[in-house]
Amino acid sequence: MNVDAWGPGAAELVENIRTELGEHDRPEDFRPAHPVLERAWSRLPGLRVPCTGRLLEALVPAILEQRVVGLDAQAAWTRLVGAHGGPAPGPAPGPMRVMPSPDVWANLPIWEWRRTGVDLHRSKTVIFAARHAAKLNRAAGDPARAYQLM
C-alpha cells in the first residue's frame, strides 16, 4: 500500500493507516450492544468506520450536532473551521482547511462561538472536551474508558 501524507500528523498517519482502514477488524465478531447500533448494522451491513484514535476530531462535530438541525450544525462547523482551522498541508485545494487544534478550540472566546451559531451549552462542552483532548485520545483504545471520560 502506498500512502502520501503531509503536515504535522503525516508520520503518524502513515504508521497507522492499515489499522485506521480496518486491517485488524473482525466484522464477523461485531455484536452491537445498543439498539441504535443494532438497527444501523442491520440496515447498513458492511459499513466501515475508520479507527483513528483521535476522539476529539469525532467529538467536536458530534457536540455541534446536538439540539440543532443538522444543516445548522454543518454551517457552524464550516464557519468555525474556515475561521480557525489551518490550511491543509500538501497539494490540497487553496481554500481547504483542517480542524483547529485542541488549544484553539479551548481558547475561542464566547462571542466567536455565538457569531458562528453555536449556543453556550455546546460551546462550553467543546471547550471542556478540548481541554481534555490528550486524555480522551489516550483512552481511544479502551472504549469503556473513553465512554466513562465523555
Side-chain angles (χ1 to χ4, degrees), residues 13 37 51-52 61-62 64 72 79-80 82 84-85 93-95 106 108 111 115 120-121 130 143:
L13 175 70
L37 289 176
C51 177
T52 67
L64 294 177
D72 291 342
R79 287 189 291 268
L80 284 162
H84 303 286
L108 280 180
W111 62 83
R115 187 180 71 76
L120 181 63
H121 296 292

Side-chain angles (χ1 to χ4, degrees), residues 39-150:
R39 288 191 300 273
W41 186 249
S42 67
R43 275 194 338 265
L44 304 165
L47 173 68
R48 303 304 283 258
V49 178
C51 177
T52 67
R54 293 179 293 276
L55 295 183
L56 190 68
E57 289 181 9
L59 194 54
V60 172
I63 293 167
L64 294 177
E65 292 170 356
Q66 300 302 304
R67 304 171 9 175
V68 296
V69 175
L71 290 176
D72 291 342
Q74 185 178 28
W77 169 260
T78 300
R79 287 189 291 268
L80 284 162
V81 173
H84 303 286
M96 184 178 279
R97 311 291 285 176
V98 295
M99 181 175 145
S101 70
D103 271 350
V104 171
W105 286 123
N107 292 299
L108 280 180
I110 195 64
W111 62 83
E112 191 62 18
W113 293 99
R114 295 295 298 150
R115 187 180 71 76
T116 58
V118 179
D119 63 76
L120 181 63
H121 296 292
R122 291 181 296 143
S123 62
K124 286 173 84 173
T125 303
V126 171
I127 290 167
F128 184 81
R131 288 180 179 158
H132 295 88
K135 189 185 309 183
L136 285 167
N137 288 341
R138 281 193 305 272
D142 180 357
R145 176 73 178 132
Y147 187 76
Q148 179 186 31
L149 286 171
M150 289 188 275

